[in-house]
Amino acid sequence: MTIHLLNCFTCNARWPSKLKTGMLCLLVETNQGLVLVDTGLGLDDYTNPAWMTQLFRIITVMPFNPNEAAVNRVKQLGYKPEDVKHIILTHMHFDHCSGLPDFPHAKVHVHRREYEAFTDNKILHWDEYAYIPRYIAHRPEFVLYDNANEKWYDFDAIRLPFEPGMYFIPLYGHSRGHCGVAIKTSDGWFFHAGDAGAVHNDETPAWMIKLVLGPYDPRLREFMKAHPEIKVVNSHMFPEFFSKGSN
Ligand SMILES: [Zn+2]
């Protein structure tokens, strides 16, 4: 199936200033209609930024251009927002789900642990300050997953209801219920590891990656080496990556 690679939130580091990243969202053409993986920043954040967005406008450099919102990216590809029937979330930090209200009729697929971390009003780890309740104030229909009772290569896997094939891959640590998403394409597999790795970044020290992204980055790098035929990406990819457009 075709996977459109969308940059839905440019957020560049102030230091090191050469570290420039977009926010990778996928628009996947499945047999069940269009599926969006993560949303980036939503339109409302551009006119009425949540406190976390305001903080990131100070600590990072962002163009803050609403043309990057997933709903506008979808329109730029010639689709209507209501064509997006399903949204899969790797996790629910602000930059991954702020755009949910722009697709109010889409079903939202997320791991149960992540949904509970977002909704239980408890801060068990500092990353949970990045949960912004208003992004689900429109009460979307959630589809929750918990049993990883299959395998995808050597990873535990949860089958998602989209053909020709898609799995949630639990990669907890960056957040309580964070999952990667493996997608079957016409010529193999595409693996979006979300914020569990920085697999194309060889400049940031490993201890810092572990601190911010959790424990899976080394395993993801080993997996990439063992399986060069699989395209492995993470959420915050470099600007050049997005110029490719689709996979
Ligand atoms: Zn995150």
Side-chain angles (χ1 to χ4, degrees):
M1 47 191 154
T2 300
I3 304 174
H4 299 279
L5 311 173
L6 313 179
N7 175 8
C8 293
F9 177 40
T10 298
C11 182
N12 298 325
R14 285 200 188 276
W15 182 90
S17 58
K18 61 179 191 285
L19 186 60
K20 298 191 186 312
T21 66
M23 161 82 206
L24 176 60
C25 300
L26 309 176
L27 187 68
V28 190
E29 297 175 1
T30 77
N31 295 351
Q32 288 69 34
L34 288 180
V35 176
L36 181 66
V37 179
D38 285 349
T39 72
L41 220 56
L43 287 181
D44 190 39
D45 250 311
Y46 287 97
T47 51
N48 178 26
W51 73 269
M52 185 60 83
T53 306
Q54 293 183 41
L55 175 66
F56 267 72
R57 288 190 76 186
I58 296 168
I59 62 177
T60 70
V61 180
M62 56 171 91
F64 208 56
N65 180 350
N67 286 337
E68 292 190 341
V71 68
N72 286 331
R73 295 291 198 205
V74 165
K75 288 181 189 166
Q76 288 156 22
L77 288 170
Y79 294 112
K80 297 195 284 292
E82 51 271 32
D83 293 337
V84 176
K85 306 292 186 201
H86 302 273
I87 296 175
I88 296 172
L89 298 175
T90 59
H91 63 303
M92 297 185 73
H93 286 162
F94 79 107
D95 48 335
H96 297 257
C97 74
S98 157
L100 288 178
D102 296 333
F103 303 93
H105 302 296
K107 285 187 187 173
V108 180
H109 302 253
V110 67
H111 197 286
R112 186 181 301 277
R113 281 172 62 112
E114 187 66 14
Y115 177 80
E116 288 176 355
F118 187 94
T119 55
D120 70 3
N121 293 319
K122 293 182 197 145
I123 300 287
L124 300 188
H125 188 263
W126 53 266
D127 79 274
E128 297 183 7
Y129 287 107
Y131 294 140
I132 307 295
R134 79 182 208 202
Y135 297 149
I136 63 166
H138 60 295
R139 295 176 171 269
E141 181 179 344
F142 278 94
V143 185
L144 303 179
Y145 299 85
D146 38 19
N147 289 327
N149 51 12
E150 295 195 35
K151 284 281 182 191
W152 180 74
Y153 294 86
D154 57 346
F155 288 98
D156 292 338
I158 301 168
R159 186 179 288 275
L160 291 162
F162 307 109
E163 297 297 332
M166 217 184 282
Y167 290 100
F168 255 151
I169 310 297
L171 303 170
Y172 308 147
H174 171 68
S175 70
R176 253 194 263 175
H178 181 287
C179 289
V181 181
I183 303 167
K184 184 101 178 76
T185 66
S186 52
D187 57 354
W189 286 94
F190 185 101
F191 185 22
H192 186 340
D195 273 352
V199 292
H200 299 283
N201 173 354
D202 291 323
E203 300 194 7
T204 303
W207 65 266
M208 195 182 288
I209 290 176
K210 187 173 181 192
L211 179 71
V212 178
L213 301 183
Y216 279 99
D217 183 77
R219 182 169 170 192
L220 291 166
R221 287 173 194 261
E222 274 174 32
F223 181 77
M224 280 170 70
K225 258 190 231 151
H227 295 282
E229 76 283 7
I230 297 175
K231 179 96 177 166
V232 183
V233 298
N234 47 254
S235 289
H236 298 280
M237 296 293 285
F238 305 117
E240 313 81 62
F241 171 82
F242 295 99
S243 54
K244 205 174 149 224
S246 64
N247 187 80

